[in-house]
Amino acid sequence: MKPCHVIWDWNGTLMDDAWLCVEIVNELLMRRGLAPTTPCKYSEVFGFPLRTYYQRVGFDLEREDFAATGDEFNILYGQRLRECRLREGARKVLTALGRSGIGQSLLSASYEVDLEEIVAHYGLRSHFTAVAGVDNGLGEGKIERGHRHLAELNCQSDEVLLVGDTLHDIEVAAALGVPCVLLPSGHQSRRRLELGECTVVDGLFAVAALLGLKGDIHD
């Protein structure tokens, strides 16, 4: 597999933030007197649309507004976001792909302005030809944004690979007509990912190996 371009998801795929999402959702649940979740339980209920996930984790969206709850989460997440680290091998794999001539970009369900800011914080912006996020804080519109993003790439759809960490990334890839590879991140369990018709690999170095990148990438 040697694509012309790799479209990376951000949260969970390149940045390790599942642990933070668990801590924040537990704070919100405890504010409401609800039982907290665990990383294992979280990985079995998290998904898109986010409204469904919020209900599964314990919020009563018949009694409170989903958008307001999402805003509450996003405020706490934004305050602690820079506590997160990149996933193992992220810098080396992005550099290796660039050197091999493979184009790279980001496609995320994160608010695009915030996405640009955090990517710049990690010093990764130069790796990507584009950073494409959505225009809301509710994780909605990734497929629509993906269509616009794909149209801007100078590649055929079968020459593009999408790399993500959730079943929603399979849905996005299918809608765009591109192949997809998933890696477990803590947002969804490997068991759930393997239910999708998609290649599942363990970590970013495994993605590089799948793309035929060898040599000293692990050093």
Side-chain angles (χ1 to χ4, degrees), residues 19-35:
W19 66 271
L20 178 59
C21 292
V22 172
E23 289 191 7
I24 293 174
V25 79
N26 278 341
E27 181 171 344
L28 298 186
L29 289 168
M30 288 187 285
R31 286 180 181 181
R32 293 158 172 79
L34 299 171

Side-chain angles (χ1 to χ4, degrees), residues 4-219:
C4 165
H5 191 97
V6 171
I7 299 176
W8 295 96
D9 172 61
W10 175 250
N11 299 86
T13 302
L14 292 174
M15 184 180 69
D16 179 13
D17 70 340
W19 66 271
L20 178 59
C21 292
V22 172
E23 289 191 7
I24 293 174
V25 79
N26 278 341
E27 181 171 344
L28 298 186
L29 289 168
M30 288 187 285
R31 286 180 181 181
R32 293 158 172 79
L34 299 171
T37 190
T38 66
C40 182
K41 290 179 180 178
Y42 169 84
S43 72
E44 291 297 332
V45 299
F46 177 79
F48 294 86
L50 291 181
R51 172 184 285 274
T52 301
Y53 149 64
Y54 273 49
Q55 292 172 319
R56 287 174 177 170
V57 83
F59 293 96
D60 184 355
L61 298 183
E62 296 297 322
R63 300 180 60 183
E64 64 177 293
D65 180 64
F66 166 56
T69 306
D71 287 343
E72 189 179 358
F73 178 94
N74 290 333
I75 289 170
L76 295 177
Y77 181 84
Q79 292 171 348
R80 298 186 58 191
L81 177 57
R82 296 191 181 194
E83 296 177 26
C84 296
R85 297 182 178 181
L86 297 175
R87 291 194 61 168
E88 181 184 8
R91 295 186 189 278
K92 292 181 179 180
V93 170
L94 292 174
T95 298
L97 262 67
R99 288 176 176 170
S100 73
I102 297 174
Q104 301 176 89
S105 60
L106 286 179
L107 175 61
S108 172
S110 295
Y111 186 52
E112 188 165 308
V113 173
D114 295 339
L115 183 63
E116 283 276 13
E117 181 179 343
I118 194 63
V119 171
H121 166 72
Y122 286 110
L124 298 180
R125 186 60 181 85
S126 63
H127 291 290
F128 307 116
T129 59
V131 171
V134 299
D135 61 359
N136 63 87
L138 300 177
E140 298 173 348
K142 188 173 182 179
I143 290 176
E144 292 77 9
R145 185 66 181 92
H147 279 298
R148 299 200 308 273
H149 177 58
L150 183 63
E152 295 166 356
L153 299 180
N154 189 27
C155 293
Q156 299 297 316
S157 59
D158 60 358
E159 298 176 318
V160 175
L161 175 68
L162 191 150
V163 181
D165 69 314
T166 70
L167 294 172
H168 186 47
D169 290 310
I170 297 179
E171 297 171 343
V172 173
L176 302 183
V178 306
C180 180
V181 170
L182 298 182
L183 55 160
S185 68
H187 283 294
Q188 291 186 337
S189 67
R190 186 183 183 98
R191 179 198 67 79
R192 291 178 69 195
L193 297 184
E194 290 178 341
L195 295 177
E197 296 182 359
C198 182
T199 300
V200 180
V201 300
D202 289 314
L204 294 170
F205 289 130
V207 175
L210 191 67
L211 298 177
L213 301 179
K214 300 179 180 179
D216 61 355
I217 191 172
H218 292 271
D219 295 339

